[in-house]
Amino acid sequence: MGTVFSVTVRDPAPGTPAVLERIAERLHRIDAVFSTYRPDSDISRLDRGELALDDCDPEVRTVLAACREVAAETDGYFTDRPGGRLDPSGWVKGWAVEQAAALLRSSGSRQYCVSGGGDVQSAGGPWRIGIADPRRPGLLAAVLAGHDLAVATSGTAERGAHILDPHTGRPACALASLTLVGAPGTGIARTDAWATAAFAMGPDRALAWAARRPGIEALAVLPDGSKRWTPGLPGHLPASGPADWRTAVG
């Protein structure tokens, strides 16, 4: 999928190594079906017209249906065809993290954190989750803390200006990064897809949109390094966080 996944388990059991192997197998299978980097994947072949939807892995239809739902929820700011090419990665990456987390949960683990390409699904806690600074590689723009969090960041830190505004077809450049924090129970697949759409919206529309979503908070980092956030975001900051984050409203 063009990114790195990591898994942290705080309550390992004798069967944990086998579960981690199953997670690796599951991620490789998702990559084989959905990767746009692989010309032999189902998604690549479907896009080229070499494979009919009915002949694809059944999960392709499920994923494309989820993409349509997110497009409706975000006023069309999410699309599975950025630039005209079939590419549901905006859903698949977070969904892959969610799949890995589900395998850990089914094994009995209740204290874990799965991370993939800027998306984090945690269980138990507390966990501290660093948000990469999109302007200064290796540094953090913020640290979030809490239990059972879904945290998704879309931006330019890893792949540059790669997110397109579906309404204009041009790269979205009004933000450097946009992070969404989901309440406990919020899946990372939807949180990640929403983060991609919100990034394309730009700061004003994105923060207003996030503020209307129950249980969702947002942190926007602008190209000049300044930050804006929804009123509830400071509730996800460590107790030792900067005072100005707790008194200002983005």
Side-chain angles (χ1 to χ4, degrees):
M1 281 172 272
T3 191
V4 176
F5 282 71
S6 65
V7 179
T8 301
V9 181
R10 285 180 175 168
D11 56 352
T16 298
V19 175
L20 295 178
E21 289 184 7
R22 287 167 55 201
I23 288 172
E25 291 171 359
R26 179 69 171 126
L27 293 176
H28 282 299
R29 176 58 186 167
I30 292 172
D31 185 66
V33 173
F34 292 99
S35 176
T36 59
Y37 296 93
R38 298 176 59 151
D40 61 339
S41 71
D42 286 25
I43 282 295
S44 295
R45 295 176 64 203
L46 178 63
D47 185 45
R48 293 194 302 267
E50 299 173 2
L51 192 66
L53 181 58
D54 288 343
D55 296 325
C56 291
D57 185 290
E59 289 187 320
V60 171
R61 187 180 293 274
T62 301
V63 162
L64 296 183
C67 289
R68 290 193 296 271
E69 291 176 2
V70 176
E73 294 163 353
T74 59
D75 300 322
Y77 276 95
F78 182 87
T79 179
D80 59 10
R81 286 191 171 273
R85 179 187 177 190
L86 181 61
D87 181 1
S89 301
W91 173 270
V92 170
K93 182 161 59 70
W95 176 67
V97 172
E98 206 168 271
Q99 295 288 300
L103 285 170
L104 286 169
R105 187 169 58 252
S106 67
S107 75
S109 177
R110 296 296 180 266
Q111 290 280 347
Y112 58 80
C113 184
V114 182
S115 175
D119 299 333
V120 177
Q121 180 84 63
S122 71
W127 296 91
R128 293 170 66 91
I129 299 171
I131 306 303
D133 189 323
R135 301 171 67 250
R136 299 179 297 170
L139 299 181
L140 297 178
V143 175
L144 306 177
H147 296 70
D148 304 312
L149 294 175
V151 180
T153 298
S154 291
T156 60
E158 284 195 14
R159 297 171 57 192
H162 67 288
I163 298 174
L164 303 180
D165 179 345
H167 296 292
T168 66
R170 295 191 296 270
C173 56
L175 284 165
S177 73
L178 190 286
T179 297
L180 294 186
V181 185
T186 303
I188 189 60
R190 203 163 226 91
T191 303
D192 178 38
W194 282 348
T196 300
F199 184 93
M201 293 177 188
D204 294 337
R205 188 185 296 269
L207 291 171
W209 179 88
R212 295 193 301 268
R213 307 298 305 191
I216 293 291
E217 301 297 340
L219 167 64
V221 179
L222 277 64
D224 64 2
S226 61
K227 302 181 182 71
R228 297 173 60 188
W229 53 91
T230 51
L233 182 80
H236 293 294
L237 297 175
S240 58
D244 60 326
W245 285 63
R246 298 184 176 277
T247 58
V249 175

